[in-house]
Amino acid sequence: MIYADNAATTKMSETAVKAMLEVINDNYGNPSSLYSIGQKAKEALEEARADIAGVIGAKPAEILFTSGGSEADNQAIISAAKTGEAAGKRHIISTKIEHHAVLHTLKKLEKEGFEVTLLEVNGDGLVTPEAVRDAIREDTCLVSVMYANNEIGTIEPIREIGAICREKKVPFHVDAVQAIGHIPVNVEEDNIDMLSSSAHKFHGPKGVGFLYVKKGIRLFNLIEGGAQEKGKRAGTENVPGIVAAAAALKEAVANMDKNAAYLTEKREKLIAGLKEISHSALNGHPVKRLPGNVNFCFEGIEGESLLLLLDDKGIQASSGSACTSGSLDPSHVLLAIGRVHDVAHGSLRLSIAEDITDADVDYIIKSVKEVVEYLRGFSPVWRDLVAGKSQFIL
Amino acid sequence: MALYSDKVMDHFRNPRNVGVIEDANGIGEVGNAKCGDIMKMYLKIENDVIEDVKFETFGCGSAIASSSMATEMIKGKPVSEAMQLTNKAVAEALDGLPDYKMHCSVLAEEAIKSALDDYEKRRQEEK
């Protein structure tokens, strides 16, 4: 089996599993308890917080643990909106290619009377700092831009956008779920005020994430209850998950340069191989791109069929096809970079991890070529394209 | 539970009656690439019996399986019987489809009916 859907989730690292089991077996106390095993759990929790803060250039007090990236996105955006509203500011800027955790939160705020500007991206999926500057108004209370896109892997000019937000004194939130642990992120240098992350994207456990909130930025609760996380997130802390997340992240960051170089080489090999398929196109930026992300459109075929047949060949991947999402529209990201519906349905995302070998890469290329050719063989769309009855787009 | 029944996967992996009939006397195409599903049906009808049927489909696993199953259900049948084919019957024959994939079986029914209409139209023109 070749697991090539690491943007969806990753396998936990051995280090993370070990760290988690240690807590489960030996350090099961409640961090809020006064007696020794409670305090030992509290120590482990605070050590994890300090480790994570250290890795992204934050202070421990600026890290809030959540159930994952979606909760962190929700809390950051809703907090900024509430703070803004109190000052009469009800305008939010984001982009068309954000994760649904951001887009759907913004939709909800729109219904509550906020005005949302979703910036366009170019054909490579890049949003320009200039576009952010032009969109900022007197009543803008938040700019939210993702660090790297989960579908097409494009890395956004976060530092430059952050600098503009600082200059304009607008809070800047970054969904860094796909970036943390894979590419360098430093909240101080990148001018970030709030940042969301999720542990299962960097070989940590599912159900754990964190929100970085710069000192001085006000946070509102999504979950009411006990005084955990300085009263900003009630509920007994997921200590095993949090400790495992910190262990996974430290490991990922310690090996980041090595891993990124290795993955980039394999990525380029995959891209070169898949480009040999006629009427195909790479989605996302060719260079400013996550090391492990490959995303292609193949004309004349539909993505779900492609995924199912690749699964039969032992390859697990993902697609932006409508049929894989249960909706009628293909991926909003592919549409935003200018892929028309017909082509967007035929997309394939491969997101590789460090365990991939050269033999795997060769096998993936060979298999995708075979499946695309097979599906085109009985596709009426492909027949019309080849017969000249309709025009090739790619 | 798997996304699809074994029957759907069987018809998806080994679709029956795939291809084109060069001298078809009834052809129907439904759906559009914008929505992600297109089905094309070719019928060869003699003495009001569907002697041969072939299909081409651009679409997801259940679209391909629905096309395949629908062709099997009408092959060798009289036109009058083929006209009675319902999407529900196609879905049932596949041991069910997920709710949000039911439209694939609708498309299969429509593709067959469209091909039968085309056959009927051609026959009227011949008269």
Side-chain angles (χ1 to χ4, degrees), chain B residues 53-66:
Chain B
V53 49
K54 295 234 184 279
F55 80 90
E56 290 183 306
T57 290
F58 163 93
C60 58
S62 61
I64 292 171
S66 296

Side-chain angles (χ1 to χ4, degrees), chain A residues 299-306 308-309 312 321-330 341-342 345-346 374-375 377-384 389, chain B residues 3-4 9 12-15 18-20 22 29 32-40 42 55-64 100-101 103-104:
Chain A
E299 202 160 4
I301 63 156
E302 192 279 328
E304 191 206 78
S305 309
L306 175 62
L308 292 170
L309 292 172
D312 281 350
S321 144
C323 282
T324 60
S325 67
S327 81
L328 279 178
D329 282 322
H341 278 68
D342 315 38
H345 285 297
Y374 166 75
L375 288 171
F378 63 98
S379 159
V381 175
W382 183 250
R383 171 177 296 280
D384 285 352
K389 283 187 196 162
Chain B
L3 173 63
Y4 292 131
M9 286 311 290
F12 167 65
R13 289 186 178 120
N14 311 293
V18 172
V20 176
E22 293 299 345
E29 184 175 316
N32 64 66
K34 198 168 183 272
C35 301
D37 290 302
I38 296 185
M39 284 182 200
K40 196 166 182 178
Y42 302 84
F55 80 90
E56 290 183 306
T57 290
F58 163 93
C60 58
S62 61
I64 292 171
Y100 69 102
K101 296 284 189 177
H103 72 275
C104 293

Side-chain angles (χ1 to χ4, degrees), chain B:
Chain B
M1 203 196 95
L3 173 63
Y4 292 131
S5 70
D6 290 345
K7 208 105 173 242
V8 171
M9 286 311 290
D10 176 39
H11 275 263
F12 167 65
R13 289 186 178 120
N14 311 293
R16 281 62 145 177
N17 307 309
V18 172
V20 176
I21 299 173
E22 293 299 345
D23 60 342
N25 53 6
I27 298 176
E29 184 175 316
V30 295
N32 64 66
K34 198 168 183 272
C35 301
D37 290 302
I38 296 185
M39 284 182 200
K40 196 166 182 178
M41 291 281 173
Y42 302 84
L43 302 177
K44 181 69 186 171
I45 299 172
E46 275 168 51
N47 303 321
D48 274 334
V49 170
I50 297 167
E51 293 295 333
D52 199 9
V53 49
K54 295 234 184 279
F55 80 90
E56 290 183 306
T57 290
F58 163 93
C60 58
S62 61
I64 292 171
S66 296
S67 321
S68 168
M69 180 54 88
T71 60
E72 264 204 335
M73 291 171 82
I74 62 158
K75 196 169 177 177
K77 298 279 163 62
V79 168
S80 56
E81 206 174 306
M83 278 305 285
Q84 306 300 316
L85 183 80
T86 63
N87 81 293
K88 230 180 129 204
V90 173
E92 273 169 17
L94 287 167
D95 290 340
L97 288 171
D99 283 349
Y100 69 102
K101 296 284 189 177
M102 280 304 284
H103 72 275
C104 293
S105 63
V106 173
L107 221 51
E109 177 195 322
E110 287 174 355
I112 300 238
K113 297 216 162 129
S114 163
L116 288 169
D117 286 350
D118 180 51
Y119 165 73
E120 192 56 39
K121 214 175 102 199
R122 291 191 200 199
R123 226 171 49 148
Q124 295 298 329
E125 279 166 7
E126 273 170 23
K127 277 180 186 171

Side-chain angles (χ1 to χ4, degrees), chain A residues 15 57 82 100 182 193 202 218 235 263 280 282 291 295 297 386 388:
Chain A
T15 315
K82 282 192 176 172
H100 286 126
H182 300 281
D193 297 316
F202 51 74
R218 191 164 173 211
L263 287 177
S280 67
L282 177 71
N295 192 317
C297 278
V386 172

Side-chain angles (χ1 to χ4, degrees), chain A residues 76-95:
Chain A
I77 292 167
I78 288 168
S79 294
K82 282 192 176 172
T83 304
E85 196 170 32
K89 297 180 174 187
R90 298 167 72 88
H91 177 236
I92 299 173
I93 299 166
S94 189
T95 80

Side-chain angles (χ1 to χ4, degrees), chain A residues 52-207:
Chain A
I52 287 174
V55 157
I56 63 163
K59 295 177 193 75
E62 295 173 323
I63 303 294
L64 175 90
F65 289 112
T66 68
S67 64
S70 292
E71 187 188 332
D73 282 339
N74 272 260
Q75 191 164 8
I77 292 167
I78 288 168
S79 294
K82 282 192 176 172
T83 304
E85 196 170 32
K89 297 180 174 187
R90 298 167 72 88
H91 177 236
I92 299 173
I93 299 166
S94 189
T95 80
K96 289 204 160 161
I97 63 166
E98 297 300 309
H99 190 274
H100 286 126
V102 169
L103 291 177
H104 289 176
T105 306
L106 294 176
K107 254 268 132 7
K108 189 168 100 174
L109 288 170
E110 252 180 345
K111 281 184 191 148
E112 291 171 14
F114 282 83
E115 198 184 326
V116 176
T117 302
L118 294 182
L119 299 173
E120 304 277 348
V121 294
N122 72 8
D124 290 330
L126 280 176
V127 58
T128 63
E130 294 70 35
V132 175
R133 182 186 290 279
D134 292 346
I136 292 177
R137 313 189 311 210
E138 280 296 312
D139 63 341
T140 304
C141 62
L142 175 69
V143 171
S144 178
V145 178
M146 68 200 326
Y147 213 111
N149 184 267
N150 49 311
E151 293 187 34
I152 58 174
T154 298
I155 300 169
E156 302 297 340
I158 291 302
R159 190 168 299 186
E160 293 76 10
I161 295 170
I164 290 168
C165 292
R166 284 278 150 88
E167 181 196 321
K168 300 276 186 185
K169 297 189 168 54
V170 178
F172 182 36
H173 167 251
V174 175
D175 174 347
V177 165
Q178 296 288 334
I180 295 283
H182 300 281
I183 55 172
V185 174
N186 184 296
V187 291
E188 207 51 56
E189 292 167 7
D190 291 339
N191 307 307
I192 296 169
D193 297 316
M194 291 189 277
L195 172 142
S196 310
S197 177
S198 176
H200 75 107
K201 308 292 191 184
F202 51 74
H203 303 286
K206 293 160 186 64

